[in-house]
Amino acid sequence: MIGGLDPEVKAAVDAAVKQFQKLGAEIVEISLPHTDYAAATYYIIAPAEASANLARFDGIRYGARMDGADPIELYCRTRGAGFGAEVKRRIILGTYVLSSGYYDAYYLHAQKVRTLIRNDFLKAFEQVDAIVTPTTPTAAFKIGEKFDDPLQMYLCDVFTLACNLAGICGISIPCGFTGNPQPSTPRRGEAQRRRLNPQPRLPIGLQLLGQPFGEETLLKIAHVYELNTLWHKEKTPTVI
């Protein structure tokens, strides 16, 4: 849990935790102190890797090719036409953090923080079988709502980035909707009522994290949760 978490998301996740407890799980609070730096760390390491890996797509050997009067023009036109705005943004940022004078200050330092984040998770898994978090700090947002604000888009990843850095496994499952964050249980006539009176509710996700190669445990936990709720069968009405 972090500051600024949407109240409805917190309520839905709390309800899911109670459901797990009802099903026999023992709930333990843990601390992951270095995950506060996960977003900043990820958006140094990931763009650096993107910059290095995408350098090969120059239109000569791989990918789309745009003709040019000389090799430099060919490279520029190919990469300009073949990459979208977000890819270009990450390439530029990654090239910057890998450049001379900044490698030690940014990339190397981020790798050290990455190790601290991984150690936090490994220590936590000495106490628990799985970790429960929200998937995102808010419910699903409208298409294009954050398109012009990439920083807000990056911050929406705050819960899902740490597992990538730590090299652990994770799964996201539905756990509620805005306006109705209580556990979904079968009720006679409920599905028909919702079809006749659709509300613009937005889905809320629950994330389960497990230790490296612990996918089997996560899938079992997720399966048991879905057997005892109906969130995975509900759909959000399309709002135009």
Side-chain angles (χ1 to χ4, degrees):
M1 298 296 184
I2 60 171
L5 186 65
D6 185 279
E8 288 189 297
V9 172
K10 186 177 186 305
V13 172
D14 286 343
V17 170
K18 291 180 181 178
Q19 181 72 16
F20 281 124
Q21 195 168 21
K22 180 180 177 181
L23 293 170
E26 179 184 355
I27 308 303
V28 179
E29 286 196 18
I30 60 170
S31 175
L32 299 167
H34 295 100
T35 52
D36 289 345
Y37 309 107
T41 302
Y42 179 87
Y43 283 109
I44 290 175
I45 295 176
E49 293 177 349
S51 174
N53 291 332
L54 294 177
R56 74 189 72 175
F57 293 99
D58 53 12
I60 301 298
R61 294 161 294 178
Y62 305 100
R65 174 171 178 161
M66 303 293 291
D67 290 331
D70 54 60
I72 298 300
E73 182 181 349
L74 185 150
Y75 297 158
C76 293
R77 292 189 63 194
T78 296
R79 294 171 72 80
F83 294 142
E86 178 61 27
V87 175
K88 293 176 184 176
R89 186 181 297 115
R90 295 197 181 200
I91 290 174
I92 292 171
L93 178 58
T95 302
Y96 176 79
V97 301
L98 290 175
S99 61
S100 177
Y102 297 99
Y103 179 89
D104 291 344
Y106 291 102
Y107 184 75
L108 187 60
H109 192 65
Q111 290 287 13
K112 292 178 179 179
V113 177
R114 179 184 193 171
T115 300
L116 295 175
I117 293 172
R118 175 175 171 80
N119 290 340
D120 283 347
F121 277 103
L122 295 181
K123 183 177 180 180
F125 286 125
E126 293 176 359
Q127 308 175 54
V128 299
D129 298 304
I131 297 172
V132 179
T133 80
T135 301
T136 58
T138 65
F141 45 82
K142 297 178 182 178
I143 295 175
E145 183 178 351
K146 300 181 185 291
F147 184 78
D148 295 327
D149 193 346
L151 180 58
Q152 287 300 315
M153 289 286 290
Y154 293 166
L155 293 176
C156 287
D157 298 335
V158 63
F159 291 114
T160 55
L161 297 178
C163 62
N164 295 309
L165 293 171
I168 62 176
C169 56
I171 185 172
S172 178
I173 55 178
C175 71
F177 288 84
T178 56
N180 185 20
Q182 299 304 313
S184 178
T185 53
R187 289 199 293 262
R188 183 176 298 178
E190 180 69 13
Q192 181 179 3
R193 182 186 68 78
R194 290 178 177 173
R195 284 196 298 270
L196 295 175
N197 300 284
Q199 299 295 321
R201 303 180 302 154
L202 297 173
I204 298 172
L206 179 77
Q207 181 178 233
L208 299 171
L209 301 176
Q211 53 189 311
F213 305 106
E215 288 86 353
E216 182 179 356
T217 298
L218 288 191
L219 290 172
K220 286 180 178 179
I221 296 172
H223 180 61
V224 170
Y225 180 78
E226 289 192 343
L227 286 177
N228 289 274
T229 62
L230 291 179
W231 296 123
H232 61 291
K233 294 184 177 182
E234 299 193 26
K235 295 183 179 180
T236 303
T238 301
V239 179
I240 302 177

